[in-house]
Amino acid sequence: MHDLKPQIACERLIKILRTKGISDERVLNAFRKVERHLFVDPALRGQAYDDNALPIGYGQTISQPYVVALMTELLQLGQDDKVLEIGTGSGYQSAIIAQFTRRLYTIERSRALGEAARKKLRDMGYQNIVFKIGDGTRGWPQHAPYDRIIVTAGAPSVPKTLAEQLAESGRMIIPTGDRGRQELEIYQRTESGLEKEKAGGVVFVPLVGDHGWEE
Ligand code: SAM
């Protein structure tokens, strides 16, 4: 399996995503366009299209493809949406989101990871992604409000700063729970406040920052 050509391995992954319930063809097509093997360490490229999280250095991970697909589907992205992503990591989820939207703002706490992702995505030609190194739990007030917010690290609870930066009718996807295990939550801003739905258990590295976990 591990010697498959990337395109063939990617189609096999897409089949797995379908069997797990991902049905939005736009999301599945984004998985075809964004080549995951270019976002993992060359030594791990044979595993790039397995449905697993993989290490990207500095104790962090590129998320499991199913979780990337699920969160992207749950975001219900429109092309005019302004999106804020917390946790750039390898830049893979950023590249997937950038297939759909006008502008993505992405924040990474690790300078090494953030700068590597910025360089990679610039070299790949992405022009609709704006990068920042810093504590994403504070959000990015200069560009707020955001139509969509996605947090790709596990939070103890929803940072109030992020809730404040969510636009009217905005939608936020965030894993919350304890340091080792979380529940994926969807928040939708309505006239009467924030409505919450749950989308199942997940495991993310911790969201570390002023409105997250302590280091
Ligand atoms: N979405 C990424 C990808 O596709 O590669 C994976 C993200 S990884 C699971 C979580 C990332 O969140 C890590 O790179 C970590 O450094 C980052 N992170 C943790 N706390 C953060 C914070 N307060 N602000 C920004 N990034 C943070």
Side-chain angles (χ1 to χ4, degrees):
M1 281 299 184
H2 287 170
D3 294 329
L4 288 178
K5 285 208 172 98
Q7 261 179 324
I8 296 174
C10 182
E11 289 304 322
R12 191 180 58 118
L13 172 62
I14 286 170
K15 269 195 193 150
I16 294 171
L17 298 179
R18 281 189 204 281
T19 60
K20 290 188 170 178
I22 304 298
S23 59
D24 186 336
E25 293 299 327
R26 295 185 318 154
V27 173
L28 296 169
N29 274 331
F31 272 73
R32 289 191 176 97
K33 283 200 195 129
V34 182
E35 298 177 295
R36 192 170 185 256
H37 66 279
L38 302 179
F39 291 83
V40 304
D41 187 285
L44 298 173
R45 282 197 180 163
Q47 299 169 57
Y49 296 93
D50 292 349
D51 191 21
N52 292 321
L54 290 170
I56 54 172
Y58 310 95
Q60 305 302 328
T61 53
I62 178 171
S63 307
Q64 180 192 356
Y66 169 67
V67 173
V68 173
L70 178 64
M71 291 177 90
T72 308
E73 196 170 72
L74 291 172
L75 274 176
Q76 297 176 359
L77 290 164
Q79 62 183 19
D80 290 331
D81 287 341
K82 193 183 353 165
V83 184
L84 176 66
E85 177 190 39
I86 311 301
T88 317
S90 69
Y92 177 68
Q93 171 89 68
S94 320
I96 295 273
I97 293 171
Q99 305 299 314
F100 298 85
T101 55
R102 174 165 68 96
R103 185 137 300 216
L104 168 66
Y105 294 88
T106 184
I107 309 178
E108 171 55 53
R109 180 172 176 268
S110 153
R111 179 164 295 280
L113 286 175
E115 283 178 355
R118 186 201 308 250
K119 179 171 185 329
K120 180 175 300 257
L121 292 166
R122 284 278 177 271
D123 289 351
M124 288 177 169
Y126 288 90
Q127 292 184 346
N128 56 342
I129 308 178
V130 187
F131 298 84
K132 178 175 172 170
I133 309 292
D135 177 5
T137 68
R138 298 181 191 160
W140 197 338
Q142 288 93 320
H143 304 290
Y146 301 94
D147 303 299
R148 301 288 184 264
I149 298 179
I150 173 171
V151 181
T152 68
S157 58
V158 178
K160 72 173 190 326
T161 36
L162 296 185
E164 284 163 6
Q165 290 174 32
L166 191 61
E168 272 177 41
S169 311
R171 206 168 157 80
M172 169 160 44
I173 313 294
I174 179 168
T176 68
D178 59 36
R179 278 185 94 108
R181 183 155 187 84
Q182 306 87 25
E183 180 97 36
L184 207 51
E185 294 183 337
I186 308 160
Y187 288 86
Q188 176 82 44
R189 185 176 291 294
T190 66
E191 281 170 5
S192 49
L194 276 185
E195 277 176 11
K196 174 166 111 176
E197 268 178 72
K198 294 190 174 193
V202 283
V203 176
F204 274 93
V205 293
L207 180 75
V208 176
D210 284 357
H211 304 278
W213 294 102
E214 280 181 22
E215 199 149 359

